[in-house]
Amino acid sequence: HKLALQTFVYFSQAWLDRAWLWHAPKAWVQQRVRLTGALEELAGNDPTVIFLPHFVGLDAAWAAMALAMPRPSTTIYTDQSNKLVDQWILQGRQRFGHLRLFGRIEGVKPIVAALREGQPLYLLPDMDFGPDESVFVPFFGVQAATLAALPRFAKLGAAVVVPCVTRMLPGGRGYVVELGDPWEHFPGSSVEADARRMNEFLEERIRSMKAK
């Protein structure tokens, strides 16, 4: 019960934080969002998939990497039913840097082409799109419908996978965005094994977020 309540509190805080992430001066955002870890993975032109889970600080990660990214980058976007909210989100996420948003209806070809050209792809595959697009692998001990998009895009784009995890700092002090080292031997022996590895990574990071 305590964890569920905290989740709603942190989720609400993250939405309120969009006010300064998407509207405050650039210097203010830079003071409250700290990018750490394997920053060298943002440089160069090698095909790169940035695995960005749906943690509450995902839009802080957009801002942090956009401010540090020396090259154009891409992601996949689903239009919101409320057009005013849709416009607000798009403007906020494209505020810094050069981010291209591909609609899901456009298919994978333009996304893979951009990836092969050296435009990093921000991919948030920790979702359930139904059994037709999923493999079933364990997640916290439960067989869960898991997208196999991460290994598939990595294979199609001949790209390395760089994990990115966000942490909300206590007291509304902002966020830490951590880039991990590229995954070795990924994709691996099977799509199922790769999806299991992704879920195991998520489990490990979620467990590290201690309740306060």
Side-chain angles (χ1 to χ4, degrees), residues 51-98:
F51 169 34
L52 179 61
H54 281 87
F55 290 0
V56 292
L58 68 90
D59 274 291
W62 295 118
M65 286 188 283
L67 288 167
M69 183 74 73
R71 48 179 164 159
S73 54
T74 66
T75 192
I76 305 169
Y77 182 75
T78 300
D79 291 341
Q80 305 298 303
S81 57
N82 185 308
K83 296 306 177 186
L84 288 176
V85 172
D86 191 68
Q87 183 182 23
W88 180 55
I89 292 174
L90 290 175
Q91 289 177 343
R93 289 180 175 171
Q94 294 177 298
R95 183 181 177 203
F96 303 120
H98 182 192

mmCIF file of all heavy atoms in Angstrom, residues 51-98:
data_model
loop_
_atom_site.group_PDB
_atom_site.id
_atom_site.type_symbol
_atom_site.label_atom_id
_atom_site.label_comp_id
_atom_site.label_asym_id
_atom_site.label_seq_id
_atom_site.Cartn_x
_atom_site.Cartn_y
_atom_site.Cartn_z
ATOM 1 N N PHE A 51 18.202 2.720 -24.502
ATOM 2 C CA PHE A 51 17.096 2.046 -23.834
ATOM 3 C C PHE A 51 16.683 2.877 -22.631
ATOM 4 O O PHE A 51 17.381 2.953 -21.629
ATOM 5 C CB PHE A 51 17.528 0.636 -23.423
ATOM 6 C CG PHE A 51 16.580 -0.066 -22.502
ATOM 7 C CD1 PHE A 51 15.212 0.131 -22.588
ATOM 8 C CD2 PHE A 51 17.058 -0.949 -21.547
ATOM 9 C CE1 PHE A 51 14.334 -0.520 -21.733
ATOM 10 C CE2 PHE A 51 16.194 -1.615 -20.697
ATOM 11 C CZ PHE A 51 14.828 -1.396 -20.784
ATOM 12 N N LEU A 52 15.519 3.523 -22.742
ATOM 13 C CA LEU A 52 15.042 4.461 -21.733
ATOM 14 C C LEU A 52 13.712 3.955 -21.158
ATOM 15 O O LEU A 52 12.664 4.124 -21.781
ATOM 16 C CB LEU A 52 14.853 5.850 -22.375
ATOM 17 C CG LEU A 52 14.343 6.978 -21.503
ATOM 18 C CD1 LEU A 52 15.301 7.248 -20.346
ATOM 19 C CD2 LEU A 52 14.160 8.249 -22.332
ATOM 20 N N PRO A 53 13.728 3.308 -20.000
ATOM 21 C CA PRO A 53 12.485 2.790 -19.426
ATOM 22 C C PRO A 53 11.525 3.917 -19.024
ATOM 23 O O PRO A 53 11.922 5.072 -18.861
ATOM 24 C CB PRO A 53 12.959 2.012 -18.194
ATOM 25 C CG PRO A 53 14.420 1.802 -18.389
ATOM 26 C CD PRO A 53 14.899 2.959 -19.192
ATOM 27 N N HIS A 54 10.271 3.539 -18.830
ATOM 28 C CA HIS A 54 9.243 4.497 -18.431
ATOM 29 C C HIS A 54 9.311 4.786 -16.924
ATOM 30 O O HIS A 54 8.336 4.589 -16.201
ATOM 31 C CB HIS A 54 7.859 3.970 -18.803
ATOM 32 C CG HIS A 54 7.501 4.148 -20.236
ATOM 33 N ND1 HIS A 54 7.831 3.221 -21.202
ATOM 34 C CD2 HIS A 54 6.846 5.141 -20.884
ATOM 35 C CE1 HIS A 54 7.378 3.632 -22.376
ATOM 36 N NE2 HIS A 54 6.783 4.780 -22.219
ATOM 37 N N PHE A 55 10.448 5.266 -16.467
ATOM 38 C CA PHE A 55 10.534 5.733 -15.093
ATOM 39 C C PHE A 55 10.001 7.171 -15.044
ATOM 40 O O PHE A 55 9.879 7.825 -16.079
ATOM 41 C CB PHE A 55 11.981 5.679 -14.588
ATOM 42 C CG PHE A 55 12.505 4.275 -14.368
ATOM 43 C CD1 PHE A 55 11.708 3.170 -14.611
ATOM 44 C CD2 PHE A 55 13.796 4.063 -13.919
ATOM 45 C CE1 PHE A 55 12.176 1.878 -14.413
ATOM 46 C CE2 PHE A 55 14.279 2.776 -13.719
ATOM 47 C CZ PHE A 55 13.468 1.682 -13.960
ATOM 48 N N VAL A 56 9.712 7.672 -13.842
ATOM 49 C CA VAL A 56 9.033 8.975 -13.753
ATOM 50 C C VAL A 56 9.865 10.122 -14.317
ATOM 51 O O VAL A 56 9.318 11.161 -14.682
ATOM 52 C CB VAL A 56 8.626 9.298 -12.297
ATOM 53 C CG1 VAL A 56 7.531 8.357 -11.827
ATOM 54 C CG2 VAL A 56 9.821 9.270 -11.366
ATOM 55 N N GLY A 57 11.173 9.949 -14.416
ATOM 56 C CA GLY A 57 12.014 11.026 -14.927
ATOM 57 C C GLY A 57 12.319 10.936 -16.402
ATOM 58 O O GLY A 57 13.306 11.515 -16.857
ATOM 59 N N LEU A 58 11.476 10.260 -17.174
ATOM 60 C CA LEU A 58 11.823 10.049 -18.588
ATOM 61 C C LEU A 58 11.952 11.361 -19.342
ATOM 62 O O LEU A 58 12.794 11.486 -20.245
ATOM 63 C CB LEU A 58 10.827 9.112 -19.261
ATOM 64 C CG LEU A 58 9.384 9.553 -19.493
ATOM 65 C CD1 LEU A 58 9.213 10.241 -20.844
ATOM 66 C CD2 LEU A 58 8.438 8.344 -19.432
ATOM 67 N N ASP A 59 11.132 12.368 -19.018
ATOM 68 C CA ASP A 59 11.261 13.640 -19.731
ATOM 69 C C ASP A 59 12.448 14.452 -19.248
ATOM 70 O O ASP A 59 12.961 15.292 -19.987
ATOM 71 C CB ASP A 59 9.965 14.446 -19.639
ATOM 72 C CG ASP A 59 8.988 14.057 -20.738
ATOM 73 O OD1 ASP A 59 9.276 14.361 -21.911
ATOM 74 O OD2 ASP A 59 7.958 13.425 -20.444
ATOM 75 N N ALA A 60 12.909 14.203 -18.034
ATOM 76 C CA ALA A 60 14.176 14.796 -17.595
ATOM 77 C C ALA A 60 15.315 14.208 -18.413
ATOM 78 O O ALA A 60 16.280 14.905 -18.753
ATOM 79 C CB ALA A 60 14.392 14.549 -16.108
ATOM 80 N N ALA A 61 15.214 12.927 -18.748
ATOM 81 C CA ALA A 61 16.239 12.294 -19.581
ATOM 82 C C ALA A 61 16.264 12.910 -20.971
ATOM 83 O O ALA A 61 17.334 13.145 -21.536
ATOM 84 C CB ALA A 61 15.987 10.794 -19.668
ATOM 85 N N TRP A 62 15.059 13.156 -21.563
ATOM 86 C CA TRP A 62 15.021 13.836 -22.873
ATOM 87 C C TRP A 62 15.833 15.128 -22.803
ATOM 88 O O TRP A 62 16.663 15.420 -23.663
ATOM 89 C CB TRP A 62 13.602 14.226 -23.251
ATOM 90 C CG TRP A 62 12.584 13.183 -23.507
ATOM 91 C CD1 TRP A 62 11.424 13.006 -22.795
ATOM 92 C CD2 TRP A 62 12.564 12.187 -24.532
ATOM 93 N NE1 TRP A 62 10.710 11.964 -23.315
ATOM 94 C CE2 TRP A 62 11.375 11.445 -24.375
ATOM 95 C CE3 TRP A 62 13.430 11.845 -25.558
ATOM 96 C CZ2 TRP A 62 11.036 10.387 -25.213
ATOM 97 C CZ3 TRP A 62 13.089 10.799 -26.383
ATOM 98 C CH2 TRP A 62 11.916 10.083 -26.210
ATOM 99 N N ALA A 63 15.510 15.944 -21.780
ATOM 100 C CA ALA A 63 16.139 17.262 -21.677
ATOM 101 C C ALA A 63 17.645 17.147 -21.471
ATOM 102 O O ALA A 63 18.432 17.846 -22.124
ATOM 103 C CB ALA A 63 15.500 18.052 -20.535
ATOM 104 N N ALA A 64 18.054 16.263 -20.565
ATOM 105 C CA ALA A 64 19.479 16.132 -20.256
ATOM 106 C C ALA A 64 20.273 15.702 -21.476
ATOM 107 O O ALA A 64 21.339 16.265 -21.774
ATOM 108 C CB ALA A 64 19.666 15.139 -19.120
ATOM 109 N N MET A 65 19.779 14.698 -22.189
ATOM 110 C CA MET A 65 20.530 14.205 -23.345
ATOM 111 C C MET A 65 20.442 15.154 -24.528
ATOM 112 O O MET A 65 21.393 15.292 -25.293
ATOM 113 C CB MET A 65 20.053 12.797 -23.704
ATOM 114 C CG MET A 65 20.553 11.753 -22.725
ATOM 115 S SD MET A 65 20.209 10.048 -23.203
ATOM 116 C CE MET A 65 18.472 9.965 -22.766
ATOM 117 N N ALA A 66 19.301 15.839 -24.682
ATOM 118 C CA ALA A 66 19.193 16.820 -25.766
ATOM 119 C C ALA A 66 20.192 17.951 -25.585
ATOM 120 O O ALA A 66 20.786 18.443 -26.550
ATOM 121 C CB ALA A 66 17.773 17.374 -25.835
ATOM 122 N N LEU A 67 20.401 18.368 -24.337
ATOM 123 C CA LEU A 67 21.351 19.438 -24.058
ATOM 124 C C LEU A 67 22.789 19.000 -24.290
ATOM 125 O O LEU A 67 23.664 19.821 -24.584
ATOM 126 C CB LEU A 67 21.187 19.925 -22.613
ATOM 127 C CG LEU A 67 19.913 20.734 -22.332
ATOM 128 C CD1 LEU A 67 19.697 20.884 -20.838
ATOM 129 C CD2 LEU A 67 19.999 22.111 -23.003
ATOM 130 N N ALA A 68 23.056 17.686 -24.166
ATOM 131 C CA ALA A 68 24.419 17.171 -24.313
ATOM 132 C C ALA A 68 24.676 16.515 -25.657
ATOM 133 O O ALA A 68 25.832 16.291 -26.018
ATOM 134 C CB ALA A 68 24.710 16.155 -23.194
ATOM 135 N N MET A 69 23.623 16.207 -26.406
ATOM 136 C CA MET A 69 23.762 15.442 -27.638
ATOM 137 C C MET A 69 24.269 16.314 -28.789
ATOM 138 O O MET A 69 23.626 17.285 -29.173
ATOM 139 C CB MET A 69 22.416 14.835 -28.026
ATOM 140 C CG MET A 69 22.450 13.962 -29.265
ATOM 141 S SD MET A 69 23.230 12.363 -28.986
ATOM 142 C CE MET A 69 21.957 11.543 -28.022
ATOM 143 N N PRO A 70 25.432 15.983 -29.371
ATOM 144 C CA PRO A 70 25.964 16.793 -30.461
ATOM 145 C C PRO A 70 25.379 16.447 -31.830
ATOM 146 O O PRO A 70 25.720 17.077 -32.816
ATOM 147 C CB PRO A 70 27.459 16.470 -30.413
ATOM 148 C CG PRO A 70 27.509 15.056 -29.920
ATOM 149 C CD PRO A 70 26.357 14.914 -28.960
ATOM 150 N N ARG A 71 24.503 15.448 -31.904
ATOM 151 C CA ARG A 71 23.957 15.012 -33.190
ATOM 152 C C ARG A 71 22.438 14.864 -33.098
ATOM 153 O O ARG A 71 21.891 14.726 -32.007
ATOM 154 C CB ARG A 71 24.588 13.686 -33.608
ATOM 155 C CG ARG A 71 24.605 12.615 -32.519
ATOM 156 C CD ARG A 71 25.210 11.312 -32.985
ATOM 157 N NE ARG A 71 25.559 10.420 -31.879
ATOM 158 C CZ ARG A 71 25.726 9.116 -32.002
ATOM 159 N NH1 ARG A 71 25.563 8.537 -33.178
ATOM 160 N NH2 ARG A 71 26.055 8.369 -30.967
ATOM 161 N N PRO A 72 21.748 14.874 -34.226
ATOM 162 C CA PRO A 72 20.300 14.648 -34.206
ATOM 163 C C PRO A 72 19.977 13.278 -33.631
ATOM 164 O O PRO A 72 20.767 12.340 -33.733
ATOM 165 C CB PRO A 72 19.897 14.744 -35.684
ATOM 166 C CG PRO A 72 20.996 15.496 -36.341
ATOM 167 C CD PRO A 72 22.242 15.144 -35.590
ATOM 168 N N SER A 73 18.800 13.166 -33.033
ATOM 169 C CA SER A 73 18.355 11.897 -32.471
ATOM 170 C C SER A 73 16.876 11.703 -32.798
ATOM 171 O O SER A 73 16.200 12.621 -33.251
ATOM 172 C CB SER A 73 18.585 11.863 -30.959
ATOM 173 O OG SER A 73 17.977 12.979 -30.335
ATOM 174 N N THR A 74 16.382 10.489 -32.554
ATOM 175 C CA THR A 74 15.015 10.156 -32.932
ATOM 176 C C THR A 74 14.321 9.382 -31.814
ATOM 177 O O THR A 74 14.973 8.839 -30.924
ATOM 178 C CB THR A 74 14.975 9.296 -34.210
ATOM 179 O OG1 THR A 74 15.573 8.030 -33.948
ATOM 180 C CG2 THR A 74 15.716 9.969 -35.355
ATOM 181 N N THR A 75 13.006 9.332 -31.903
ATOM 182 C CA THR A 75 12.221 8.474 -31.036
ATOM 183 C C THR A 75 10.896 8.179 -31.719
ATOM 184 O O THR A 75 10.595 8.730 -32.786
ATOM 185 C CB THR A 75 12.000 9.101 -29.645
ATOM 186 O OG1 THR A 75 11.476 8.104 -28.755
ATOM 187 C CG2 THR A 75 11.020 10.264 -29.719
ATOM 188 N N ILE A 76 10.108 7.314 -31.102
ATOM 189 C CA ILE A 76 8.809 6.921 -31.645
ATOM 190 C C ILE A 76 7.726 7.527 -30.762
ATOM 191 O O ILE A 76 7.817 7.475 -29.528
ATOM 192 C CB ILE A 76 8.677 5.386 -31.680
ATOM 193 C CG1 ILE A 76 9.846 4.780 -32.451
ATOM 194 C CG2 ILE A 76 7.350 4.976 -32.314
ATOM 195 C CD1 ILE A 76 9.961 3.265 -32.318
ATOM 196 N N TYR A 77 6.708 8.089 -31.389
ATOM 197 C CA TYR A 77 5.707 8.852 -30.647
ATOM 198 C C TYR A 77 4.307 8.445 -31.067
ATOM 199 O O TYR A 77 4.035 8.238 -32.261
ATOM 200 C CB TYR A 77 5.909 10.350 -30.905
ATOM 201 C CG TYR A 77 4.954 11.250 -30.159
ATOM 202 C CD1 TYR A 77 5.116 11.482 -28.801
ATOM 203 C CD2 TYR A 77 3.883 11.857 -30.817
ATOM 204 C CE1 TYR A 77 4.249 12.312 -28.105
ATOM 205 C CE2 TYR A 77 3.013 12.697 -30.133
ATOM 206 C CZ TYR A 77 3.193 12.915 -28.775
ATOM 207 O OH TYR A 77 2.332 13.729 -28.092
ATOM 208 N N THR A 78 3.429 8.333 -30.085
ATOM 209 C CA THR A 78 2.021 8.075 -30.334
ATOM 210 C C THR A 78 1.230 9.343 -30.078
ATOM 211 O O THR A 78 1.314 9.924 -28.980
ATOM 212 C CB THR A 78 1.484 6.950 -29.427
ATOM 213 O OG1 THR A 78 2.226 5.752 -29.685
ATOM 214 C CG2 THR A 78 0.010 6.688 -29.694
ATOM 215 N N ASP A 79 0.479 9.817 -31.075
ATOM 216 C CA ASP A 79 -0.306 11.035 -30.924
ATOM 217 C C ASP A 79 -1.278 10.908 -29.754
ATOM 218 O O ASP A 79 -1.901 9.863 -29.547
ATOM 219 C CB ASP A 79 -1.099 11.331 -32.200
ATOM 220 C CG ASP A 79 -0.206 11.729 -33.357
ATOM 221 O OD1 ASP A 79 0.951 12.127 -33.097
ATOM 222 O OD2 ASP A 79 -0.653 11.644 -34.515
ATOM 223 N N GLN A 80 -1.416 11.999 -28.997
ATOM 224 C CA GLN A 80 -2.374 12.048 -27.897
ATOM 225 C C GLN A 80 -3.752 12.448 -28.422
ATOM 226 O O GLN A 80 -3.866 13.226 -29.370
ATOM 227 C CB GLN A 80 -1.913 13.059 -26.843
ATOM 228 C CG GLN A 80 -0.510 12.811 -26.318
ATOM 229 C CD GLN A 80 -0.381 11.481 -25.619
ATOM 230 O OE1 GLN A 80 -1.096 11.194 -24.655
ATOM 231 N NE2 GLN A 80 0.521 10.637 -26.103
ATOM 232 N N SER A 81 -4.790 11.913 -27.820
ATOM 233 C CA SER A 81 -6.151 12.207 -28.295
ATOM 234 C C SER A 81 -6.523 13.665 -28.076
ATOM 235 O O SER A 81 -7.265 14.250 -28.870
ATOM 236 C CB SER A 81 -7.158 11.294 -27.588
ATOM 237 O OG SER A 81 -7.073 11.440 -26.179
ATOM 238 N N ASN A 82 -6.011 14.273 -27.004
ATOM 239 C CA ASN A 82 -6.242 15.692 -26.754
ATOM 240 C C ASN A 82 -5.185 16.487 -27.517
ATOM 241 O O ASN A 82 -3.993 16.418 -27.215
ATOM 242 C CB ASN A 82 -6.150 15.986 -25.251
ATOM 243 C CG ASN A 82 -6.510 17.426 -24.909
ATOM 244 O OD1 ASN A 82 -5.980 18.362 -25.488
ATOM 245 N ND2 ASN A 82 -7.408 17.577 -23.952
ATOM 246 N N LYS A 83 -5.591 17.234 -28.514
ATOM 247 C CA LYS A 83 -4.642 17.907 -29.407
ATOM 248 C C LYS A 83 -3.855 19.010 -28.710
ATOM 249 O O LYS A 83 -2.705 19.281 -29.076
ATOM 250 C CB LYS A 83 -5.381 18.472 -30.626
ATOM 251 C CG LYS A 83 -6.010 17.380 -31.496
ATOM 252 C CD LYS A 83 -4.969 16.338 -31.913
ATOM 253 C CE LYS A 83 -5.564 15.209 -32.711
ATOM 254 N NZ LYS A 83 -4.576 14.135 -33.001
ATOM 255 N N LEU A 84 -4.448 19.664 -27.711
ATOM 256 C CA LEU A 84 -3.706 20.686 -26.977
ATOM 257 C C LEU A 84 -2.599 20.051 -26.139
ATOM 258 O O LEU A 84 -1.467 20.548 -26.103
ATOM 259 C CB LEU A 84 -4.654 21.481 -26.080
ATOM 260 C CG LEU A 84 -5.596 22.451 -26.784
ATOM 261 C CD1 LEU A 84 -6.544 23.106 -25.775
ATOM 262 C CD2 LEU A 84 -4.805 23.522 -27.533
ATOM 263 N N VAL A 85 -2.910 18.938 -25.487
ATOM 264 C CA VAL A 85 -1.894 18.205 -24.726
ATOM 265 C C VAL A 85 -0.824 17.665 -25.672
ATOM 266 O O VAL A 85 0.371 17.709 -25.373
ATOM 267 C CB VAL A 85 -2.546 17.056 -23.928
ATOM 268 C CG1 VAL A 85 -1.482 16.168 -23.290
ATOM 269 C CG2 VAL A 85 -3.473 17.618 -22.858
ATOM 270 N N ASP A 86 -1.262 17.179 -26.824
ATOM 271 C CA ASP A 86 -0.331 16.657 -27.826
ATOM 272 C C ASP A 86 0.671 17.726 -28.251
ATOM 273 O O ASP A 86 1.880 17.483 -28.298
ATOM 274 C CB ASP A 86 -1.120 16.145 -29.031
ATOM 275 C CG ASP A 86 -0.266 15.344 -29.996
ATOM 276 O OD1 ASP A 86 0.171 14.238 -29.623
ATOM 277 O OD2 ASP A 86 -0.028 15.821 -31.124
ATOM 278 N N GLN A 87 0.177 18.928 -28.540
ATOM 279 C CA GLN A 87 1.050 20.029 -28.954
ATOM 280 C C GLN A 87 2.008 20.426 -27.844
ATOM 281 O O GLN A 87 3.190 20.687 -28.089
ATOM 282 C CB GLN A 87 0.198 21.228 -29.368
ATOM 283 C CG GLN A 87 1.000 22.406 -29.890
ATOM 284 C CD GLN A 87 0.119 23.592 -30.250
ATOM 285 O OE1 GLN A 87 -0.993 23.725 -29.757
ATOM 286 N NE2 GLN A 87 0.611 24.444 -31.130
ATOM 287 N N TRP A 88 1.520 20.431 -26.612
ATOM 288 C CA TRP A 88 2.352 20.794 -25.466
ATOM 289 C C TRP A 88 3.492 19.796 -25.275
ATOM 290 O O TRP A 88 4.646 20.174 -25.074
ATOM 291 C CB TRP A 88 1.471 20.852 -24.215
ATOM 292 C CG TRP A 88 2.196 21.216 -22.955
ATOM 293 C CD1 TRP A 88 2.978 22.321 -22.737
ATOM 294 C CD2 TRP A 88 2.186 20.483 -21.729
ATOM 295 N NE1 TRP A 88 3.459 22.313 -21.446
ATOM 296 C CE2 TRP A 88 2.991 21.207 -20.808
ATOM 297 C CE3 TRP A 88 1.568 19.301 -21.321
ATOM 298 C CZ2 TRP A 88 3.191 20.771 -19.501
ATOM 299 C CZ3 TRP A 88 1.778 18.867 -20.006
ATOM 300 C CH2 TRP A 88 2.580 19.594 -19.120
ATOM 301 N N ILE A 89 3.179 18.512 -25.363
ATOM 302 C CA ILE A 89 4.201 17.477 -25.196
ATOM 303 C C ILE A 89 5.250 17.566 -26.303
ATOM 304 O O ILE A 89 6.459 17.506 -26.040
ATOM 305 C CB ILE A 89 3.550 16.079 -25.178
ATOM 306 C CG1 ILE A 89 2.700 15.905 -23.921
ATOM 307 C CG2 ILE A 89 4.622 14.981 -25.238
ATOM 308 C CD1 ILE A 89 1.902 14.616 -23.899
ATOM 309 N N LEU A 90 4.799 17.712 -27.544
ATOM 310 C CA LEU A 90 5.737 17.771 -28.666
ATOM 311 C C LEU A 90 6.667 18.973 -28.553
ATOM 312 O O LEU A 90 7.881 18.865 -28.765
ATOM 313 C CB LEU A 90 4.965 17.819 -29.987
ATOM 314 C CG LEU A 90 4.231 16.533 -30.383
ATOM 315 C CD1 LEU A 90 3.404 16.763 -31.640
ATOM 316 C CD2 LEU A 90 5.206 15.392 -30.596
ATOM 317 N N GLN A 91 6.107 20.126 -28.217
ATOM 318 C CA GLN A 91 6.938 21.321 -28.065
ATOM 319 C C GLN A 91 7.934 21.160 -26.921
ATOM 320 O O GLN A 91 9.091 21.570 -27.028
ATOM 321 C CB GLN A 91 6.050 22.545 -27.834
ATOM 322 C CG GLN A 91 5.273 22.988 -29.070
ATOM 323 C CD GLN A 91 4.349 24.154 -28.792
ATOM 324 O OE1 GLN A 91 4.035 24.465 -27.632
ATOM 325 N NE2 GLN A 91 3.892 24.810 -29.844
ATOM 326 N N GLY A 92 7.485 20.550 -25.826
ATOM 327 C CA GLY A 92 8.369 20.369 -24.684
ATOM 328 C C GLY A 92 9.516 19.427 -24.984
ATOM 329 O O GLY A 92 10.670 19.698 -24.643
ATOM 330 N N ARG A 93 9.215 18.325 -25.670
ATOM 331 C CA ARG A 93 10.248 17.329 -25.933
ATOM 332 C C ARG A 93 11.202 17.746 -27.052
ATOM 333 O O ARG A 93 12.298 17.196 -27.171
ATOM 334 C CB ARG A 93 9.595 15.982 -26.254
ATOM 335 C CG ARG A 93 8.962 15.352 -25.033
ATOM 336 C CD ARG A 93 8.306 14.027 -25.307
ATOM 337 N NE ARG A 93 7.833 13.434 -24.057
ATOM 338 C CZ ARG A 93 7.062 12.359 -23.984
ATOM 339 N NH1 ARG A 93 6.664 11.743 -25.098
ATOM 340 N NH2 ARG A 93 6.674 11.887 -22.809
ATOM 341 N N GLN A 94 10.794 18.684 -27.865
ATOM 342 C CA GLN A 94 11.660 19.162 -28.944
ATOM 343 C C GLN A 94 12.276 20.524 -28.619
ATOM 344 O O GLN A 94 12.836 21.175 -29.488
ATOM 345 C CB GLN A 94 10.861 19.237 -30.249
ATOM 346 C CG GLN A 94 10.418 17.878 -30.765
ATOM 347 C CD GLN A 94 9.555 17.970 -32.013
ATOM 348 O OE1 GLN A 94 8.478 18.537 -31.988
ATOM 349 N NE2 GLN A 94 10.048 17.422 -33.110
ATOM 350 N N ARG A 95 12.192 20.927 -27.374
ATOM 351 C CA ARG A 95 12.650 22.253 -26.971
ATOM 352 C C ARG A 95 14.158 22.417 -27.122
ATOM 353 O O ARG A 95 14.645 23.444 -27.574
ATOM 354 C CB ARG A 95 12.243 22.495 -25.516
ATOM 355 C CG ARG A 95 12.605 23.868 -24.995
ATOM 356 C CD ARG A 95 12.182 23.992 -23.547
ATOM 357 N NE ARG A 95 12.580 25.283 -23.011
ATOM 358 C CZ ARG A 95 12.744 25.528 -21.728
ATOM 359 N NH1 ARG A 95 12.538 24.552 -20.844
ATOM 360 N NH2 ARG A 95 13.111 26.711 -21.297
ATOM 361 N N PHE A 96 14.918 21.401 -26.729
ATOM 362 C CA PHE A 96 16.374 21.457 -26.812
ATOM 363 C C PHE A 96 16.865 20.462 -27.854
ATOM 364 O O PHE A 96 16.249 19.435 -28.108
ATOM 365 C CB PHE A 96 17.007 21.131 -25.461
ATOM 366 C CG PHE A 96 16.569 22.014 -24.333
ATOM 367 C CD1 PHE A 96 15.944 21.483 -23.210
ATOM 368 C CD2 PHE A 96 16.782 23.382 -24.381
ATOM 369 C CE1 PHE A 96 15.538 22.292 -22.162
ATOM 370 C CE2 PHE A 96 16.376 24.209 -23.345
ATOM 371 C CZ PHE A 96 15.751 23.668 -22.229
ATOM 372 N N GLY A 97 18.019 20.744 -28.411
ATOM 373 C CA GLY A 97 18.638 19.820 -29.353
ATOM 374 C C GLY A 97 17.846 19.685 -30.637
ATOM 375 O O GLY A 97 17.075 20.563 -31.030
ATOM 376 N N HIS A 98 18.033 18.550 -31.296
ATOM 377 C CA HIS A 98 17.357 18.259 -32.563
ATOM 378 C C HIS A 98 16.791 16.850 -32.479
ATOM 379 O O HIS A 98 17.471 15.873 -32.771
ATOM 380 C CB HIS A 98 18.345 18.391 -33.726
ATOM 381 C CG HIS A 98 17.705 18.148 -35.063
ATOM 382 N ND1 HIS A 98 18.430 17.977 -36.221
ATOM 383 C CD2 HIS A 98 16.396 18.043 -35.426
ATOM 384 C CE1 HIS A 98 17.607 17.764 -37.230
ATOM 385 N NE2 HIS A 98 16.368 17.807 -36.767
#
